[in-house]
Amino acid sequence: MAFFLSSTFISPLLVGLLGSVLFEALLSPRPQPFWKRGIAANTLHLGSWLLLFGAFMLLLQRPWFAVVFILSLQLVVVQSSNTKSRTLNEPFICHDFEYFWDAILHPRLYVPFFGIGLAIAASSAGTVAIGSFLVFEPSLVRQWGGTAFLVNSLVLIAIGTLLVWLGWRKLPPITLTPTIDLNRLGLFSSLWAYGIALMHSQPPTPDASPFQPLSQHNLELDADAVKPNVVLVQSESFFDPRPWCSEIAADLLPNYDATCQEAIVQGALNVPAWGANTVRTECAVLTGIAPDAWGARQFNPYRTLSRHTLPSIASAFKAQGYRTVCVHPYPATFYMRDSVIPKLGFETFIDISAFESQDKHGQYTGDQAVARKVGRLLEDNDNRPLFVFVITMENHGPLHLEAPEKASVASTLPAAPWPLPPHLRDLAVYLHHLGESDKMLGSVKAALNSAIRPGLLGWYGDHVPILPAAYRHYSPPASSTPYMIWSTEVDRNLHDKTPIERTSCTLEANELGVYLFKRAFGRDISSDVIKAEPEPQEQE
């Protein structure tokens, strides 16, 4: 065991441990210093370092190479956490490790937020470092022999594992608020805590969804009742930015403004996401299950839904004789939707393969192309009412990959100077695509009005957009997004000048699907069959 006492081993181990503490201090927001944390959190940190050092020693056979390699990986996590905190108001958690693979499969969605130059430089430096250490640092196997090296490496791994286990057993319960938990526990301990919580958490049971009874039997309706076509649109990064920024043109969203005036109900939707993590909102709306009910699984519920079937608004409509279709102009495999969407009760999933290259507007398939697809679905008369859930992509970031156009800026930010100052560049790109979303809203309403059946439209934003420069300049907006439920019956009543009963209320994301379903079948649905809706407040 002389190997443990050798400076060849002790020096890199201690330097690496100190480096892990210093690198943790680079986090923003920064966790509280280790001397203010509990013994359990520090034990977990120490155990994690020993475990990683032993494992990479066993793999690489070179102690300094192992130190640099581990600290480089930690720096990647720190940089990822800082970027995530800056753009999504949430630090890195254990669940986010899977996104490194997604970044390889879908680099446009991730790499630009870190900086393409930084990614290239880091990859190049890593390649040079690996080659240098392999050439210039001697292998410990050659110095001490294979048996001694193997035994000591395994002992180090065992000590690290024991310390991790002891620290975890005494770790205080996590709050499932990542910023708070990172501050209390530090990086290593919070990663362990969230990972263990994820393994121990159970998925929601089917009866947690208000759609379970509706997915099992038909509702008793009047013989003369006509079931409406229903379109539910999850509009990417949709919110009304005019109250937040007075420099934006007042007439930016004419179809949205008109729909708010005509809507059966509209208001603010409290969504469990900021800037990204669309599936958190998407899952809440579709299943009717609040994020808290998912426990540690709430941060990516589709990972669970890919393996567990739960009732949803789609399965409820399907049980009532509806044809159920999901439209998402992006690869079906992203977020495992190719597995999740069928399990939620959708008969058909239309993904990017159903669109053409000329349908792109900016970086992604345009909202108006998606609206045309919805219009064609509404024209397809197979004698069944239609439920369509739409997940748009046009306004997805990274927005800084597009250059704002002067003509577009003149109509969205009429008082803005040209060239635009930095805080307005991404905002100008966002507003241009937001205008396209507004046109889509008008097109879908027109398609519903043209159909033989009456129509019902639900519209909401999944989260606010990623605009860090604008938020630093103007301050961040509220995290909620707007929603609306609109009916062709209300629109037709306008021609008869019939008074419209309009209500405004704030909903949680998991309440919106329930509300929409009730509107499709009337207010006389038994409260034993579906949970009661929130009491609306009359709009002034």
Side-chain angles (χ1 to χ4, degrees):
M1 298 294 180
F3 161 31
F4 274 112
L5 302 177
S6 168
S7 61
T8 308
F9 171 76
I10 291 294
S11 296
L13 189 151
L14 294 179
V15 168
L17 179 60
L18 177 61
S20 70
V21 175
L22 295 177
F23 277 23
E24 190 180 65
L26 298 176
L27 285 165
S28 179
R30 181 182 300 176
Q32 61 183 359
F34 69 89
W35 58 84
K36 292 185 178 180
R37 304 173 200 166
I39 295 176
N42 289 327
T43 301
L44 255 176
H45 186 113
L46 175 61
S48 299
W49 173 255
L50 295 177
L51 176 59
L52 288 170
F53 185 71
F56 279 97
M57 276 281 295
L58 188 63
L59 177 65
L60 303 174
Q61 304 171 20
R62 294 160 174 83
W64 287 109
F65 188 8
V67 167
V68 171
F69 199 92
I70 297 168
L71 292 180
S72 296
L73 293 178
Q74 183 181 350
L75 192 59
V76 169
V77 173
V78 168
Q79 176 65 17
S80 300
S81 184
N82 291 346
T83 300
K84 188 183 176 193
S85 294
R86 185 176 67 252
T87 56
L88 309 183
N89 287 352
E90 180 182 291
F92 191 93
I93 58 176
C94 179
H95 307 55
D96 296 327
F97 281 112
E98 67 177 295
Y99 292 131
F100 288 128
W101 178 246
D102 284 337
I104 296 173
L105 297 178
H106 307 276
R108 177 179 287 274
L109 296 183
Y110 296 94
V111 175
F113 289 111
F114 298 93
I116 297 175
L118 178 62
I120 295 174
S123 301
S124 302
T127 303
V128 172
I130 290 173
S132 300
F133 278 108
L134 288 175
V135 171
F136 296 109
E137 186 178 13
S139 167
L140 288 181
V141 173
R142 295 199 194 105
Q143 294 184 51
W144 287 304
T147 301
F149 170 75
L150 180 62
V151 169
N152 284 281
S153 296
L154 292 177
V155 168
L156 192 61
I157 292 172
I159 294 173
T161 302
L162 177 62
L163 290 175
V164 167
W165 180 75
L166 291 173
W168 163 67
R169 283 175 56 86
K170 299 297 183 180
L171 206 63
I174 56 175
T175 65
L176 291 179
T177 302
T179 303
I180 294 176
D181 293 322
L182 177 64
N183 179 67
R184 291 190 310 142
L185 303 176
L187 179 62
F188 284 82
S189 297
S190 65
L191 290 175
W192 276 109
Y194 273 72
I196 294 170
L198 180 61
M199 289 189 293
H200 288 178
S201 68
Q202 296 297 318
T205 56
D207 59 6
S209 171
F211 295 111
Q212 185 195 25
L214 295 162
S215 301
Q216 296 176 340
H217 67 273
N218 290 323
L219 296 173
E220 295 183 3
L221 302 174
D222 294 338
D224 297 333
V226 178
K227 296 176 180 177
N229 292 321
V230 182
V231 177
L232 177 59
V233 178
Q234 178 175 274
S235 184
E236 173 62 38
S237 301
F238 187 92
F239 88 119
D240 183 0
R242 293 169 295 182
W244 162 69
C245 176
S246 60
E247 297 175 30
I248 297 172
D251 59 352
L252 176 71
L253 303 172
N255 290 297
Y256 168 78
D257 292 338
T259 307
C260 283
Q261 290 298 313
E262 303 162 3
I264 299 170
V265 62
Q266 55 84 31
L269 189 69
N270 291 328
V271 295
W274 172 281
N277 293 308
T278 296
V279 294
R280 299 181 190 177
T281 303
E282 188 175 317
C283 178
V285 172
L286 291 177
T287 65
I289 301 175
D292 291 347
W294 291 83
R297 296 171 182 259
Q298 66 185 270
F299 301 102
N300 185 359
Y302 273 18
R303 172 64 64 182
T304 298
L305 282 177
S306 66
R307 301 186 299 270
H308 300 275
T309 300
L310 286 176
S312 76
I313 187 174
S315 60
F317 273 118
K318 187 176 181 180
Q320 313 312 315
Y322 273 71
R323 176 189 174 200
T324 54
V325 181
C326 178
V327 180
H328 180 43
Y330 204 66
T333 54
F334 189 57
Y335 270 125
M336 298 168 289
R337 284 191 178 98
D338 56 332
S339 298
V340 172
I341 293 300
K343 283 184 170 62
L344 289 175
F346 288 96
E347 299 175 17
T348 307
F349 186 13
I350 299 174
D351 75 340
I352 189 66
S353 61
F355 294 87
E356 306 295 335
S357 58
Q358 58 264 30
D359 291 330
K360 291 184 68 175
H361 190 92
Q363 303 177 71
Y364 308 101
T365 300
D367 284 357
Q368 293 198 60
V370 177
R372 290 192 294 271
K373 184 70 69 177
V374 173
R376 286 192 289 271
L377 287 169
L378 291 168
E379 292 171 358
D380 183 10
N381 184 12
D382 68 352
N383 296 320
R384 286 189 296 169
L386 179 66
F387 171 65
V388 185
F389 178 59
V390 182
I391 310 163
T392 71
M393 277 296 294
E394 178 175 341
N395 224 346
H396 201 293
L399 296 168
H400 64 270
L401 294 186
E402 295 184 52
E405 299 178 358
K406 188 174 182 179
S408 174
V409 171
S411 61
T412 59
L413 292 163
W418 188 268
L420 291 173
H423 70 276
L424 291 180
R425 287 183 57 82
D426 289 0
L427 177 60
V429 173
Y430 170 75
L431 295 177
H432 169 70
H433 291 299
L434 190 64
E436 295 298 301
S437 301
D438 186 72
K439 293 175 184 176
M440 175 185 173
L441 174 57
S443 297
V444 173
K445 287 170 61 180
L448 285 166
N449 267 323
S450 299
I452 297 174
R453 290 178 179 272
L456 194 64
L457 171 64
W459 183 282
Y460 68 96
D462 53 351
H463 49 68
V464 297
I466 298 175
L467 297 168
Y471 296 159
R472 284 194 298 270
H473 186 84
Y474 296 110
S475 78
S479 60
S480 60
T481 62
Y483 79 91
M484 301 171 289
I485 296 178
W486 172 89
S487 170
T488 58
E489 294 299 297
V490 171
D491 187 69
R492 289 160 184 164
N493 286 340
L494 286 176
H495 298 294
D496 301 325
K497 298 183 180 180
T498 302
I500 306 171
E501 179 190 357
R502 288 194 300 271
T503 57
S504 175
C505 63
T506 298
L507 293 181
E508 300 299 320
N510 58 289
E511 296 172 333
L512 179 59
V514 174
Y515 205 114
L516 179 67
F517 190 92
K518 292 188 70 172
R519 289 294 177 176
F521 293 97
R523 288 178 171 270
D524 57 347
I525 300 175
S526 169
S527 59
D528 295 330
V529 177
I530 192 167
K531 292 180 180 178
E533 66 188 66
E535 288 297 325
Q537 300 173 349
E538 293 297 325
Q539 178 173 308
E540 296 182 359

